[in-house]
Amino acid sequence: MMNEATGKYVYNGNGDTLLPLYVVKVGGNVIDDEDALQTFLKNFSLLNERKILVHGGGKIATAIGDKLGIKSEYKDGRRITNDETIDLVTMVYGGLVNKKIVAILQSLQCNAIGLTGADANVMPAVKRPVGDVDYGWAGDITQRNVPAKQWQFFLENFLVPVLAPLTHDFQGHLLNTNADTMASAVSVALSRFYKVSLIYCFEKAGVLENLEDEQSVIKKIDRKIYDQLKEDKKIHSGILPKIDNAFASVDAGVSRVIIGKATEIELLINQNGGTTITN
């Protein structure tokens, strides 16, 4: 129920306890691995709380692009999204991947609804300005424009939003957008109304001190630990943007951020696995 005085959803009329919400982002090789994806979605479907799923695109867009003669181009790990490529990723992310995930969740009695940022205007953005690199139809999110009410409508009507990594610019253009950032943006927008746990799921067991050792998971990272780990060069550079997103989220009101293995989501939720980011 909503407390009319605070505008916040609570367990009871006392206004002291926010309802839990899990925003789960899945990506990496999990999207490309049918068995891993099935296991993840089964475990996700069993999570008996309000929840949102944000997914990446894996390598599927690149593979389909190769078949269609659309060459993938990257700069600093980010896809250059020209006119051909935005059509490709819309087809793959918003179509094939999104609807496949929704269909599997429906088979698991999880009432999912597939969305891009344009649907119900859940994630507006702006086209990334051209700087040293022209990223084409890439989107950047302005946090204050993320509409919490639209998200609350789905959640309070017992629907599970499944968000593809596409936003829109109010000019009729879809924009290719980083899924980690989208997950963070919706988590922050809803943190006034729910106790939000943001969970980044991928193929690794968590943030690893040694990339070759799955047992070297760093259980908890705060700012001081993070600075020391970077200074000692004990964290792989590829995970740094995810951790930076995590800190930005907890600084903006998200209760906790957990990074870990997609097939072990129940352990992550209970903080028996993965890496927890705190401020």
Side-chain angles (χ1 to χ4, degrees):
M1 62 178 288
M2 177 181 278
N3 182 304
E4 296 295 336
T6 64
K8 293 186 176 184
Y9 285 88
V10 295
Y11 278 122
N12 51 52
N14 297 328
D16 56 357
T17 307
L18 295 177
L19 289 169
L21 167 66
Y22 292 93
V23 178
V24 182
K25 186 267 175 174
V26 64
N29 295 336
V30 179
I31 298 293
D32 307 313
D33 185 326
E34 189 167 335
D35 290 339
L37 183 61
Q38 286 276 358
T39 299
F40 164 76
L41 291 175
K42 181 178 180 180
N43 292 335
F44 176 81
S45 73
L46 295 173
L47 176 55
N48 192 27
E49 297 287 358
R50 288 164 176 78
K51 56 196 174 186
I52 295 168
L53 181 60
V54 182
H55 66 82
K59 300 173 184 174
I60 300 173
T62 299
I64 292 178
D66 289 343
K67 292 178 182 178
L68 296 175
I70 301 172
K71 183 181 178 182
S72 295
E73 184 181 354
Y74 296 87
K75 181 68 176 178
D76 299 329
R78 295 179 176 179
R79 187 186 290 272
I80 305 295
T81 309
N82 58 23
D83 290 346
E84 279 189 320
T85 304
I86 190 61
D87 289 347
L88 171 67
V89 298
T90 298
M91 175 176 68
V92 175
Y93 300 164
L96 177 62
V97 176
N98 187 268
K99 299 314 172 191
K100 179 180 179 180
I101 289 173
V102 169
I104 294 171
L105 287 173
Q106 291 292 356
S107 76
L108 296 165
Q109 290 74 55
C110 177
N111 197 14
I113 180 169
L115 303 168
T116 69
D119 297 296
N121 187 37
V122 295
M123 192 68 66
V126 295
K127 185 176 182 290
R128 184 171 301 153
V130 177
D132 295 337
V133 179
D134 183 358
Y135 286 100
W137 297 109
D140 292 326
I141 299 164
T142 304
Q143 182 63 55
R144 66 177 179 273
N145 293 336
V146 179
K149 285 187 177 180
Q150 276 87 328
W151 289 100
Q152 287 176 279
F153 174 83
F154 293 119
L155 294 169
E156 298 309 317
N157 282 281
F158 306 103
L159 292 166
V160 178
V162 178
L163 182 64
L166 298 163
T167 55
H168 78 115
D169 67 354
F170 285 109
Q171 306 298 316
H173 298 293
L174 286 165
L175 302 169
N176 186 18
T177 307
N178 181 273
D180 285 357
T181 303
M182 293 177 76
S184 173
V186 70
S187 297
V188 170
L190 290 169
S191 64
R192 288 180 54 242
F193 306 100
Y194 305 92
K195 184 178 180 181
V196 181
S197 295
L198 171 58
I199 303 175
Y200 287 122
C201 290
F202 64 151
E203 64 275 8
K204 298 294 184 182
V207 179
L208 303 179
E209 193 166 337
N210 178 358
L211 198 59
E212 306 303 318
D213 180 8
E214 282 283 324
Q215 303 304 312
S216 66
V217 175
I218 303 167
K219 300 294 186 184
K220 185 173 287 188
I221 297 177
D222 59 22
R223 290 280 188 186
K224 185 176 180 181
I225 293 171
Y226 186 39
D227 290 341
Q228 190 62 53
L229 288 167
K230 286 194 294 183
E231 185 178 327
D232 296 340
K233 294 183 169 45
K234 287 187 175 181
I235 299 184
H236 188 266
S237 60
I239 197 73
L240 296 182
K242 201 177 294 287
I243 299 176
D244 289 337
N245 254 331
F247 276 118
S249 299
V250 295
D251 287 346
V254 172
S255 176
R256 59 177 179 165
V257 180
I258 303 168
I259 301 172
K261 185 168 286 188
T263 53
E264 299 177 349
I265 188 170
E266 70 283 359
L267 296 179
L268 303 183
I269 288 169
N270 295 320
Q271 292 187 265
N272 292 322
T275 300
T276 300
I277 307 294
T278 68
N279 58 4

